[in-house]
Amino acid sequence: MGYTDQRFDVNLSILFTELPLLERPAAAAAAGFKAVELWWPWIETPTPDQAELDALKKALDDAGTQLVGLNFYAGQLPGPDRGALSVPGEESDRFRANIDVAADFAASVGCKALNALYGNRVDGVDPDAQDKLALENLVVAARAADRVGAILLIETLNKPESPRYPLVSAPAGIAVVDKVNEATGLGNAKFLLDIYHLSMNGENLPDVIAEYASKTGHVQIADNPGRGAPGTGDLPLEELLDLLKNAGYDGWVGLEYKPGDRPSAEAFDWLSN
């Protein structure tokens, strides 16, 4: 099994970022990938002009790349933010405004997974109030995802790099997944299992996989330490992906790692080793 038995996609928000957005799908295709994923590409706005959405769709289509994962609007990412949906006021409003825009774009390109980053804790705001707001927004997002035949992903990040993000363990992420599914009755909320983030939190990865593979809708990888390509750190990524496959996960595995000091096109040599 190992790497040759996996379906890998490239995250174009962390790889190929030396290129303009619209050139990245073709670059991924030239590197041998037929599938890609993206953080919300328009950091400044949850509601870009239709022309910008159309241009990205054309770039994906022209390259022959399938978009398999898309984040909802998440604030300044990369940057200080880790999502918007639990942040009261303007950011929550921006997330709400983005829901149908993102869902409709996903539908237009056949993307079946939408990731909703939870958002950081805010000074002076009751965490319970943030969690209540989060659930309200996630329910709306889950229904929009369902409308276009997609799943809603809930992601666990890591505490060292995201100290204000409340979902920094697999059980915390799963608890939100369960609450959303209970509230909607749709069953389309799933866990985004990011091996790098979970490893940074010191979790027992084989145990997490055994317990939560059935609730996992998408997987992302990077090595640790360094968040580099597989083989640059200490994680047994081939073994962990085999465990996921043996546990029944047959979805995409997103390559969400930093290419280092070299061009992104040269950051996939581990696949041929």
Side-chain angles (χ1 to χ4, degrees):
M1 293 176 70
Y3 294 144
T4 58
D5 200 40
Q6 301 295 333
R7 292 196 298 160
F8 290 116
D9 73 86
V10 178
N11 189 310
L12 297 180
S13 296
I14 193 168
L15 286 154
F16 296 107
T17 57
E18 64 269 28
L19 299 173
L21 173 65
L22 298 182
E23 295 179 18
R24 295 177 203 171
F33 295 94
K34 296 181 179 179
V36 297
E37 61 183 75
L38 280 165
W39 302 339
W40 183 247
W42 298 280
I43 294 173
E44 299 301 331
T45 177
T47 54
D49 291 341
Q50 187 62 44
E52 294 190 69
L53 295 161
D54 292 343
L56 179 55
K57 180 182 187 304
K58 185 177 187 301
L60 292 164
D61 291 346
D62 288 352
T65 49
Q66 175 64 52
L67 187 68
V68 298
L70 176 67
N71 281 15
F72 287 105
Y73 170 79
Q76 297 293 312
L77 182 76
D81 299 332
R82 298 292 186 272
L85 63 92
S86 69
V87 180
E90 183 179 354
E91 282 300 272
S92 171
D93 292 345
R94 286 160 74 88
F95 178 82
R96 281 287 188 115
N98 175 248
I99 289 174
D100 282 332
V101 175
D104 289 343
F105 179 76
S108 77
V109 295
C111 176
K112 299 298 185 183
L114 289 158
N115 183 29
L117 282 168
Y118 202 81
N120 289 328
R121 291 303 195 207
V122 179
D123 288 339
V125 178
D126 183 351
D128 290 341
Q130 283 197 256
D131 292 339
K132 182 175 182 291
L133 175 63
L135 184 58
E136 291 172 0
N137 281 334
L138 287 168
V139 164
V140 177
R143 289 175 176 151
D146 181 69
R147 172 174 63 79
V148 299
I151 59 173
L152 175 73
L153 296 170
I154 308 296
E155 183 173 8
T156 292
L157 301 182
N158 74 77
K159 194 170 184 64
E161 293 175 329
S162 303
R164 301 180 69 85
Y165 192 81
L167 308 184
V168 288
S169 72
I174 291 291
V176 174
V177 167
D178 290 345
K179 286 177 183 176
V180 174
N181 285 332
E182 182 181 0
T184 65
L186 296 171
N188 71 327
K190 301 285 185 179
F191 183 48
L192 197 167
L193 193 157
D194 186 306
I195 288 176
Y196 168 74
H197 287 311
L198 295 173
S199 71
M200 284 285 288
N201 288 327
E203 297 191 63
N204 185 308
L205 297 173
D207 287 354
V208 168
I209 289 167
E211 189 164 359
Y212 301 128
S214 64
K215 295 186 177 184
T216 295
H218 189 58
V219 171
Q220 292 173 334
I221 64 169
D223 216 331
N224 187 18
R227 199 174 184 176
T232 60
D234 303 326
L235 290 179
L237 289 169
E238 280 188 273
E239 296 173 27
L240 293 168
L241 292 177
D242 283 349
L243 288 176
L244 272 160
K245 200 141 189 113
N246 291 336
Y249 180 76
D250 62 356
W252 291 97
V253 176
L255 305 180
E256 197 183 57
Y257 59 79
K258 298 175 182 178
D261 296 330
R262 53 188 172 165
S264 296
E266 299 175 10
F268 306 107
D269 49 357
W270 56 274
L271 274 170
S272 58
N273 291 341

